[in-house]
Amino acid sequence: MIKAVYRWFDTRLGIGDTWMPMLRHPVPRELAGPLGWWYVFGSASMTLLLVQILTGIGLALTYVPSAGQAYESLLYLNYQQPWGWFLRSLHYWSGSAMVVMVLLHMTQVFWHAAYKYPRELTWCIGVGLLLCTLGMAFTGQVLRWDPDAYWGVGVGAAMAGRVPAAGPTIVDLLLGGPIIGADTLSRFFALHVFVIPGILLTLLAVHLWLVIKQGVSVPPQPGKIVDLLKYDAEYHEELRRGEPFLGEAMLKDVAVSALVVIVVVTIAALAGPKGPSAPPDPTLSGANPRPDWPFLWLFGLLSLSPPAAETAVILIMPIVLVLGLLAVPFISNRGERAPTRRPMAILLMIVIYAVLGVLSYMGQTSPWSPRMLAWSGDAVPVNLIKKMDESLSPVELQGAVVFQNKQCRNCHALEGIGGTRGPDLTTVGTRLTRDLLIDQVSNGTPGGGNMPAYGKQMSPTEMTALVDFLVSLRPAGTPAAITPSDRGTKNKGRLPNDASATTGPSAAK
Amino acid sequence: MTKTTEDRSELEVKPRRVFLKLLTALLGAIATAAIAIPGFGYLAAAVARRKEQPWISLGPVSAFPPGETRLKVIKPSDNPLAQPWDGITAQTGVYVRYLGRDESYQDQFNVFAINCTHLGCPVEWFPQSGLFMCPCHGGVYYENGDRASGPPPRGLYLCVWKVKQDANATEPHLFIQAPFLPTLQHTLTDKG
Ligand code: FES
């Protein structure tokens, strides 16, 4: 009976003649052995994609892609809908894991130089899949309609707005109108749910077709080189001794996929869903938008790039990066595949990962962002005010108050607490003299650098008190810094009297 | 010189087939255009939405003390650029600074968009130090909107404003054109 049903479908679908041979396509014999563990990342990415599709459909049943209600529907998912928190959490963590798996897959392919002839196109489509995965990560972050999402889109739009001439039009097309609102969210929803998944699945189909058509690469061996003339025959020979994919080789894929799912579900259950942090109210102050982790490196790079190069970095660098990735198999599509024989390629890979790692770390800690609440939230450490038995003079104490009230603390930490945009000032008294301090505070960084000029923002008495306090900032018993002119050298900085002539308050002495 | 059958062009041999090919190409082009043109028009509507920019009232001039900077929140219902379903996201803020009157006895204002000119983050006003600070990369502006320090390439964007009598009020009111998301390419005022 079952056999008859199978035969009925088989005659119509061609399971036996088309699909089974595809599943049983021969793969190099090594894949059935321990080397096969190298080849599991692609299938793990696909498994996570399946989890993303399923959880995504689930979320779409409740999520409201409307600027006015998205936030409320997310709260409903988190706190009221049974299992809603878990679905959101799983969608976030599994999506993150998918980015990781896609990167691992790509790294393995690069490590083994599996992109060489005849798999150049497989690699290029893979780059497309990476971009789609990152596109899903970015658009998904926008659907978490909170201030981070709002200002994330705002920053993205501001970047796109720097395109010469077409900037404003691009911004309007991106946002769906002149402001970030309902049309923006609907657009990103459409991208996240229809457009990018459509492209992703299409590319994936071609990618898989190429995997079957061109076969899986043999694990590399030093000295065994890819020769365009001989490769096809050699590979053919290899496959004749190969193993069917359905079997030992596939078992590893299944095992790793299952393990990955278990790990992701565990993390999702323990860590819980991400956000939303607050209602997407553009007038809420203190926003400090930070992208999700896959984009932290970009955030770091943009923040660290010098202002003059910034527009170029924003507009040209992404194109260069993508073209660079696409060019990989065309730069070298023959020759050695073993990592030990490709030191430059491996070195390049390590450098790229190191750079991405450092930039991501910088993006996470973002030392360039002032801490907007430090001036009112972080008290001046007591031991800076009361050293041993000696406490500061009333004027110096007043200076400490000025230091807080003028928001200096937002950028300058004291004993490591406070902003890190400017230097920590715990021991500034040992480094800068009174005159230099007055100059620095009144004029800021010369040429409009990182510190604003406070000359007009303070009265002379405030300035005196502040500088007295700053001079006192040095370990007990340490002498204050000495003016260079005291040592007989010429003071190359502007003299405080000159400075006060241009900036107003004369605060010296 | 006589032509063999192969040499003769398809048109001479099978004129109807050629006609059908051309016709198919034409029909295909028309069908594509019939879908593409409305499609592009639909997408481009986003750009057209900026056109009308009615004046909105920020309240009586007397509500702004001279020399002080105030965050004035424009409710979603007052924002002419909003869709009814925008919710809280259509709420915008502008910083209003009343400069007092000039020599010809006219009220003078600075109305700043909340967006940093670097990458658009919301700047915060600190009356104690008289500075606007940006939480993102530490851009700082003076009270008149001039750039003080950090990565922003220019001062804050200024909104277009005017003072006139409200329809039913006896007091002069401050009106502005609602600010959209400004970018370096598209500023709020003509002056830039
Ligand atoms: S967005 Fe304000 S400093 Fe970058």
Side-chain angles (χ1 to χ4, degrees):
Chain A
M1 172 64 193
I2 292 173
K3 249 187 173 163
V5 172
Y6 172 76
R7 210 166 304 126
W8 190 92
F9 278 104
D10 189 30
T11 7
R12 283 152 188 87
L13 288 171
I15 302 172
D17 351 314
T18 312
W19 295 100
M20 288 317 279
M22 269 200 199
L23 273 179
R24 277 209 209 92
H25 73 277
V27 293
R29 178 166 54 119
E30 289 88 337
L31 264 67
L35 282 174
W37 293 108
W38 279 98
Y39 290 73
V40 296
F41 302 116
S43 55
S45 311
M46 263 166 56
T47 305
L48 290 171
L49 174 64
L50 185 68
V51 174
Q52 287 307 86
I53 294 174
L54 294 177
T55 49
I57 292 174
L59 291 174
L61 299 180
T62 304
Y63 179 72
V64 183
S66 138
Q69 281 153 342
Y71 176 75
E72 282 74 13
S73 74
L74 288 171
L75 289 187
Y76 181 84
L77 273 165
N78 274 3
Y79 299 113
Q80 272 167 291
Q81 165 100 351
W83 292 103
W85 69 272
F86 181 71
L87 226 61
R88 281 203 66 230
S89 181
L90 188 56
H91 198 66
Y92 172 75
W93 290 103
S94 156
S96 294
M98 188 174 151
V99 176
V100 172
M101 280 302 146
V102 169
L103 286 177
L104 278 177
H105 179 49
M106 201 164 180
T107 309
Q108 181 265 322
V109 167
F110 188 84
W111 180 259
H112 283 169
Y115 53 79
K116 295 197 176 190
Y117 177 86
R119 301 184 182 81
E120 299 95 332
L121 196 56
T122 322
W123 168 272
C124 291
I125 304 246
V127 172
L129 285 168
L130 173 71
L131 295 182
C132 283
T133 308
L134 291 177
M136 289 303 280
F138 183 76
T139 50
Q141 167 193 324
V142 176
L143 301 192
R144 197 196 307 131
W145 200 231
D146 58 7
D148 283 354
Y150 182 97
W151 293 110
V153 174
V155 169
M159 288 183 188
R162 295 208 177 182
V163 174
T169 310
I170 294 176
V171 171
D172 284 355
L173 283 175
L174 198 70
L175 301 184
I179 59 170
I180 298 172
D183 298 75
T184 317
L185 182 57
S186 297
R187 256 161 215 247
F188 279 89
F189 184 74
L191 284 173
H192 188 75
V193 175
F194 301 113
V195 182
I196 302 179
I199 300 173
L200 194 150
L201 292 175
T202 312
L203 290 179
L204 182 60
V206 182
H207 197 69
L208 289 178
W209 165 243
L210 287 172
V211 168
I212 292 173
K213 181 81 183 34
Q214 302 298 348
V216 181
S217 68
V218 184
Q221 282 162 17
K224 205 156 175 255
I225 62 166
V226 177
D227 180 335
L228 297 200
L229 296 176
K230 294 196 211 128
Y231 186 86
D232 288 339
E234 280 172 10
Y235 187 67
H236 192 72
E237 190 53 37
E238 193 71 50
L239 285 193
R240 278 182 6 129
R241 301 181 291 141
E243 293 265 344
F245 173 63
L246 196 68
E248 287 285 310
M250 188 169 157
L251 206 58
K252 298 197 181 63
D253 285 306
V254 177
V256 170
S257 289
L259 193 66
V260 165
V261 168
I262 292 170
V263 168
V264 163
V265 166
T266 311
I267 295 177
L270 294 178
K274 187 171 161 81
S277 59
D281 177 352
T283 59
L284 279 185
S285 62
N288 184 7
R290 189 164 299 175
D292 282 359
W293 70 267
F295 305 100
L296 278 177
W297 64 275
L298 190 62
F299 176 61
L301 179 67
L302 287 173
S303 306
L304 292 172
S305 61
E310 197 171 62
T311 304
V313 170
I314 290 171
L315 298 180
I316 299 170
M317 190 212 50
I319 303 176
V320 171
L321 281 185
V322 172
L323 288 181
L325 279 178
L326 288 175
V328 164
F330 301 101
I331 291 171
S332 94
N333 77 334
R334 63 188 80 185
E336 285 285 356
R337 284 184 51 218
T340 47
R341 299 284 173 94
R342 294 159 49 240
M344 287 317 285
I346 299 308
L347 188 67
L348 184 71
M349 194 183 91
I350 293 170
V351 168
I352 289 175
Y353 269 108
V355 169
L356 287 181
V358 169
L359 285 176
S360 298
Y361 174 75
M362 298 293 282
Q364 177 61 38
T365 49
S366 72
W368 50 80
S369 299
R371 297 245 339 255
M372 301 297 268
L373 295 177
W375 69 282
S376 55
D378 298 335
V380 176
V382 174
N383 55 337
L384 293 182
I385 291 174
K386 198 170 183 307
K387 298 170 190 167
M388 318 264 209
D389 320 316
E390 201 185 323
S391 74
L392 297 189
S393 75
V395 179
E396 288 165 341
L397 283 175
Q398 183 57 37
V401 176
V402 173
F403 185 77
Q404 294 292 107
N405 272 348
K406 297 290 177 183
Q407 283 82 39
C408 305
R409 197 72 186 276
N410 290 9
C411 293
H412 294 287
L414 289 178
E415 296 201 323
I417 303 162
T420 48
R421 174 143 179 92
D424 187 313
L425 297 182
T426 315
T427 56
V428 71
T430 61
R431 281 179 281 138
L432 295 179
T433 61
R434 174 176 301 272
D435 290 352
L436 288 174
L437 280 167
I438 291 170
D439 180 31
Q440 177 70 34
V441 175
S442 328
N443 300 313
T445 317
N450 287 338
M451 173 154 171
Y454 271 88
K456 294 201 181 94
Q457 319 299 328
M458 287 186 200
S459 69
T461 37
E462 283 173 323
M463 182 70 86
T464 313
L466 174 67
V467 172
D468 275 1
F469 170 65
L470 291 176
V471 168
S472 83
L473 285 177
R474 49 182 207 269
T478 338
I482 311 167
T483 329
S485 57
D486 290 350
R487 282 192 245 133
T489 44
K490 250 218 148 42
N491 188 349
K492 61 182 162 73
R494 275 165 293 178
L495 289 167
N497 286 342
D498 299 348
S500 59
T502 52
T503 52
S506 160
K509 271 72 76 183
Chain B
M1 207 161 79
T2 55
K3 286 181 181 171
T4 62
T5 322
E6 289 96 82
D7 278 354
R8 280 188 290 163
S9 75
E10 210 182 1
L11 187 59
E12 289 172 62
V13 192
K14 290 167 182 158
R16 276 196 297 179
R17 183 163 295 178
V18 171
F19 174 70
L20 189 61
K21 265 190 194 166
L22 289 176
L23 186 68
T24 308
L26 184 69
L27 285 177
I30 294 175
T32 311
I35 291 185
I37 293 171
F40 280 123
Y42 181 82
L43 286 177
V47 183
R49 264 181 66 196
R50 180 170 290 177
K51 291 277 149 54
E52 9 89 53
Q53 278 234 56
W55 295 92
I56 49 176
S57 171
L58 293 185
V61 170
S62 58
F64 300 102
E68 276 188 35
T69 301
R70 293 274 165 95
L71 175 68
K72 181 77 193 162
V73 172
I74 301 166
K75 291 258 164 290
S77 51
D78 296 336
N79 187 345
L81 299 169
Q83 304 274 33
W85 49 89
D86 272 344
I88 193 90
T89 39
Q91 180 149 298
T92 357
V94 286
Y95 286 107
V96 181
R97 183 171 189 80
Y98 181 43
L99 304 171
R101 301 210 160 135
D102 65 1
E103 307 89 66
S104 47
Y105 220 58
Q106 297 297 310
D107 293 308
Q108 291 299 320
F109 284 93
N110 276 339
V111 183
F112 302 111
I114 201 166
N115 305 91
C116 182
T117 58
H118 178 225
L119 291 174
C121 287
V123 296
E124 194 170 337
W125 167 248
F126 288 100
Q128 303 86 350
S129 53
L131 295 170
F132 293 97
M133 292 187 185
C134 177
C136 286
H137 317 101
V140 183
Y141 306 86
Y142 294 118
E143 61 186 16
N144 63 358
D146 285 351
R147 170 185 179 277
S149 67
R154 50 159 284 163
L156 288 173
Y157 298 112
L158 288 160
C159 294
V160 188
W161 60 271
K162 69 177 179 189
V163 171
K164 72 164 204 209
Q165 297 290 334
D166 200 8
N168 48 5
T170 47
E171 259 195 291
H173 277 53
L174 173 65
F175 288 81
I176 63 161
Q177 290 184 328
F180 46 79
L181 186 90
T183 72
L184 288 182
Q185 296 295 313
H186 200 145
T187 54
L188 295 177
T189 55
D190 296 335
K191 282 167 277 161

